[in-house]
């Protein structure tokens, strides 16, 4: 051996026979030529035979993948057909405005949307599937909203002849909702008065709490009386009035 060495992939340096030097040089030359050929094919966007790189095809494939990843545009909510000659779009817009008004009064928006949808339905009754289709939300959202409304006494559940659970609002939902508010306010009054004892009667903070308790108690009692007196107003007739009925004479 005349001292020629080559470094293998293992990292160890090994001696190379004289006859093998030419073979190694040939392999290196072939590898270099292959790199040049492949590089030229990539730069030119072609060549390389039937399995060679094609820049135009690769670009189209990238566009197709990007198109598949593009999220679909949300479908516009379609207003259901309406009876009695009502304008479907006008009813849909009112339903949304009504839900927002309920939200402004303190009700969460989804609960307001469900309650509005049930209230303006002539039957006053819809299934979870019907609600999800009309509002274009998930069944889970409907379930959560119904659970809240049920806890507030604003809807009730019944099974129809097909054993489906239906959610119903009747003429007294607002009376029931008002009485729930009265009871919760009465609980707040009781808790506030407990604070008076804790802070000590006659102290400024206790006097403040006593005033809050008296105010809320007065309002709560007034709400309960007014709700009872106005309850009959909510008992509407069982069917729509004939549009041709004459209006009473106000003269």
């Amino acid at each position: 051996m005349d001292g020629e060495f080559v470094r293998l992939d293992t990292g160890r340096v090994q001696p190379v026979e004289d006859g093998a030097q030419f073979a190694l040089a040939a392999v290196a030359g072939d590898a270099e030529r292959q790199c040049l050929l492949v590089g030229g094919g990539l730069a030119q966007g072609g060549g390389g035979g039937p399995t060679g790189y094609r820049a135009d095809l690769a670009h189209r494939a990238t566009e197709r993948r990007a198109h598949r990843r593009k999220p679909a545009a949300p479908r516009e909510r379609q207003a259901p057909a309406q009876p009695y000659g009502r304008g479907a779009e006008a009813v849909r817009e009112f339903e949304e405005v009504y839900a927002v008004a309920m939200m402004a009064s303190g009700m969460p928006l989804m609960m307001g949307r469900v309650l509005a949808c049930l209230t303006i339905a002539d039957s006053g009754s819809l299934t979870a599937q019907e609600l999800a289709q009309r509002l274009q939300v998930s069944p889970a959202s409907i379930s959560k909203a119904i659970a809240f409304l049920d806890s507030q006494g604003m809807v009730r559940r019944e099974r129809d002849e097909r054993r489906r659970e239906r959610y119903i609002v009747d003429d007294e939902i607002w009376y029931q909702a008002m009485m729930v508010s009265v009871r919760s306010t009465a609980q707040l009054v009781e808790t506030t008065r407990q604070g008076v004892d804790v802070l000590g009667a006659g102290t400024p903070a206790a006097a403040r709490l006593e005033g809050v308790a008296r105010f809320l108690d007065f309002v709560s009692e007034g709400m309960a009386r007014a709700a009872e007196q106005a309850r009959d107003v909510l008992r509407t007739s069982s069917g729509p009035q004939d549009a041709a009925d004459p209006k009473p004479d106000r003269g």
Side-chain angles (χ1 to χ4, degrees), residues 57-71:
L57 295 180
H59 180 68
R60 293 174 189 171
T62 301
E63 287 184 336
R64 285 195 296 271
R65 287 194 297 271
H67 181 72
R68 286 197 300 268
R69 288 193 296 267
K70 185 177 181 181

Side-chain angles (χ1 to χ4, degrees), residues 55-197:
D56 55 340
L57 295 180
H59 180 68
R60 293 174 189 171
T62 301
E63 287 184 336
R64 285 195 296 271
R65 287 194 297 271
H67 181 72
R68 286 197 300 268
R69 288 193 296 267
K70 185 177 181 181
R75 293 178 300 172
E76 184 178 355
R77 181 182 168 194
Q78 297 296 323
Q82 292 291 327
Y84 306 114
R86 300 168 182 152
E89 190 62 25
V91 172
R92 185 187 69 82
E93 291 178 358
F94 170 74
E95 179 184 322
E96 294 179 354
V97 171
Y98 196 26
V100 172
M102 291 183 187
M103 182 184 69
S105 70
M107 183 177 293
L109 179 58
M110 180 52 62
M111 289 64 173
R113 293 186 68 195
V114 170
L115 184 58
C117 192
L118 286 168
T119 302
I120 69 173
D122 286 294
S123 64
S125 169
L126 294 169
T127 65
Q129 181 179 6
E130 289 168 341
L131 283 167
Q133 289 175 347
R134 292 191 182 202
L135 299 177
Q136 292 190 352
V137 297
S138 68
S141 297
I142 298 297
S143 178
K144 183 178 179 181
I146 289 295
F148 172 84
L149 294 171
D150 190 17
S151 70
Q152 300 299 309
M154 303 193 75
V155 299
R156 56 188 173 87
R157 307 167 189 249
E158 288 185 1
R159 295 280 181 180
D160 61 16
E161 65 278 1
R162 297 170 57 184
R163 304 301 300 165
R164 298 178 304 176
E165 188 172 67
R166 303 191 71 86
Y167 309 118
I168 300 171
V169 293
D170 54 31
D171 294 339
E172 291 200 342
I173 62 168
W174 291 108
Y175 169 78
Q176 298 296 340
M178 188 67 68
M179 295 312 295
V180 168
S181 178
V182 167
R183 289 191 291 270
S184 63
T185 303
Q187 180 62 48
L188 180 58
V189 169
E190 181 180 347
T191 303
T192 302
R193 283 188 169 142
Q194 291 174 5
V196 174
D197 295 335

Side-chain angles (χ1 to χ4, degrees), residues 230-241:
R231 193 172 185 179
D232 288 341
V233 175
L234 295 171
R235 296 193 176 100
T236 59
S237 60
S238 57
Q241 295 181 350

